[in-house]
């Protein structure tokens, strides 16, 4: 691996370690006696605390790089930008469901815009972590030195495919509910695993296609580099390989054109 990518990937793991410590401390301390729709203030406080912590570490160690996060937006400029999603799966976090993660990625300017070159997705409540660096593969494991390489599936028929997504309401709100239902009928199996979990299982080869019409850059950038480095394809609904376009379609590559035929339709 190029020295600078190796350093950046190692640093992304350090950032994820810091985020995990704060998130798990808050996660275990939340009052989970649920009587109604949960108050999101507690989880928002945790999210903001993690983002501020990571931003502080980046200012000290990568002062020339820009940082983009949900809390304080874009800070800085230049050809490199770190994207921080402190807690993907806020609703799960506040209810005590362990399907949430911190996503940290590094983008650099390339022809046509920014491209992700490093990504780490850490789900400490599941004791799982995934990562990738451009042109050097995608991995999962306990650490950089104790890891298994990821590879997407070889399923080539849509009728044999497992399709994952986040919520039906997002498809309905985006005017694509009929497209979603048509795709769901034509595949073998569908499950709503959630934003990061779907894409990590795609990279592992456990599912074959996933798509979401509404995602933030923090939801997509790390997913994009991990999926592509595992041999898959990650684009927006028009087929453009961009992690900043608001929606994502991902596949094992063999099924991507068919996936796009469904998701680009509007009701």
């Amino acid at each position: 691996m190029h020295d600078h990518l190796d350093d950046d990937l190692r640093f992304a793991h350090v950032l994820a370690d810091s985020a995990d410590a704060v998130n798990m401390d808050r996660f275990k301390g939340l009052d989970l006696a649920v009587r109604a729709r949960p108050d999101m203030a507690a989880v928002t406080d945790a999210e903001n605390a993690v983002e501020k912590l990571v931003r502080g570490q980046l200012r000290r160690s990568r002062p020339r790089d820009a940082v983009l996060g949900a809390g304080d937006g874009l800070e800085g400029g230049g050809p490199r930008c770190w994207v921080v999603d402190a807690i993907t799966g806020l609703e799960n976090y506040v209810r005590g469901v362990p399907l949430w993660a911190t996503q940290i990625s590094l983008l650099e300017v390339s022809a046509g815009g920014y491209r992700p070159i490093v990504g780490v997705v850490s789900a400490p409540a599941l004791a799982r972590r995934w990562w990738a660096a451009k042109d050097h593969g995608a991995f999962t494991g306990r650490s950089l030195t104790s890891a298994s390489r990821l590879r997407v599936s070889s399923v080539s028929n849509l009728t044999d495919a497992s399709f994952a997504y986040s919520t039906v309401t997002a498809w309905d709100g985006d005017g694509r509910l009929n497209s979603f239902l048509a795709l769901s009928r034509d595949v073998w199996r569908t499950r709503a695993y959630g934003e990061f979990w779907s894409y990590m299982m795609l990279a592992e080869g456990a599912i074959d296609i996933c798509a979401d019409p509404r995602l933030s850059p923090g939801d997509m950038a790390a997913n994009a580099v991990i999926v592509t480095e595992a041999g898959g394809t990650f684009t927006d609904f028009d087929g453009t390989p961009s992690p900043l376009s608001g929606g994502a379609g991902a596949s094992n590559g063999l099924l991507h054109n068919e996936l796009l035929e469904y998701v680009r339709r509007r009701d």
Side-chain angles (χ1 to χ4, degrees), residues 11 53 67 86:
F11 185 53
L53 174 66
V67 185

Side-chain angles (χ1 to χ4, degrees), residues 32-53:
L32 298 178
V34 178
R35 296 179 180 85
R37 180 181 297 183
D39 179 3
M40 297 300 288
V43 70
T44 301
D45 288 345
E47 182 184 35
N48 290 339
V50 170
E51 183 174 320
K52 290 183 184 301
L53 174 66

Side-chain angles (χ1 to χ4, degrees), residues 200-249:
M200 296 306 97
M201 287 195 289
L202 174 65
E204 291 179 350
I207 65 171
D208 313 298
I209 55 176
C210 49
D212 292 291
R214 294 181 182 178
L215 293 174
S216 71
D219 289 326
M220 294 196 292
N223 291 341
V225 67
I226 292 170
V227 166
T228 55
E229 286 299 312
T233 302
F234 189 106
T235 70
D236 63 18
F237 281 8
D238 292 323
T240 303
S242 170
L244 305 175
S245 57

Side-chain angles (χ1 to χ4, degrees), residues 9-248:
L9 181 58
R10 290 180 183 278
F11 185 53
H13 276 271
V14 171
L15 297 175
D17 289 342
S18 298
D20 286 354
V22 175
N23 275 334
M24 284 300 290
D25 182 62
R26 302 269 182 123
F27 181 64
K28 293 175 181 177
L30 288 176
D31 179 4
L32 298 178
V34 178
R35 296 179 180 85
R37 180 181 297 183
D39 179 3
M40 297 300 288
V43 70
T44 301
D45 288 345
E47 182 184 35
N48 290 339
V50 170
E51 183 174 320
K52 290 183 184 301
L53 174 66
V54 172
R55 282 180 182 271
Q57 291 176 285
L58 285 165
R59 279 191 214 101
R60 291 189 296 273
S61 298
R62 298 291 191 276
R64 296 182 180 180
D65 295 345
V67 185
L68 176 64
D72 293 329
L74 180 64
E75 177 184 0
R80 289 164 38 108
C81 180
W82 292 86
V83 180
V84 180
D85 192 343
I87 306 175
T88 297
L90 290 169
E91 294 82 0
N92 287 340
Y93 187 98
V94 77
R95 286 295 302 263
V97 178
L99 292 177
W100 53 270
T102 295
Q103 295 180 280
I104 296 171
S105 54
L106 175 61
L107 282 64
E108 70 173 12
V109 171
S110 65
Y114 280 96
R115 64 174 180 174
I117 57 172
V118 167
V120 172
V121 175
S122 189
L126 296 175
R128 296 293 309 275
R129 185 176 290 187
W130 305 260
W131 62 89
K134 182 172 172 53
D135 297 329
H136 294 287
F139 299 86
T140 185
R142 295 180 179 274
S143 68
L144 284 165
T145 56
S146 178
S148 301
R149 189 151 189 165
L150 300 174
R151 190 69 194 171
V152 295
S153 75
S154 57
V155 172
S156 58
N157 294 316
L158 193 68
T159 53
D160 298 326
S162 181
F163 165 49
Y165 58 96
S166 294
T167 67
V168 175
T169 53
W171 292 84
D172 191 21
D174 202 51
R176 301 180 196 266
L177 181 58
N178 288 335
S179 300
F180 168 82
L181 293 174
L183 177 58
S184 297
R185 293 186 191 105
D186 290 345
V187 297
W188 167 58
R189 189 170 185 263
T190 64
R191 287 293 184 273
Y193 294 116
E195 295 93 342
F196 82 92
W197 189 234
S198 297
Y199 297 91
M200 296 306 97
M201 287 195 289
L202 174 65
E204 291 179 350
I207 65 171
D208 313 298
I209 55 176
C210 49
D212 292 291
R214 294 181 182 178
L215 293 174
S216 71
D219 289 326
M220 294 196 292
N223 291 341
V225 67
I226 292 170
V227 166
T228 55
E229 286 299 312
T233 302
F234 189 106
T235 70
D236 63 18
F237 281 8
D238 292 323
T240 303
S242 170
L244 305 175
S245 57

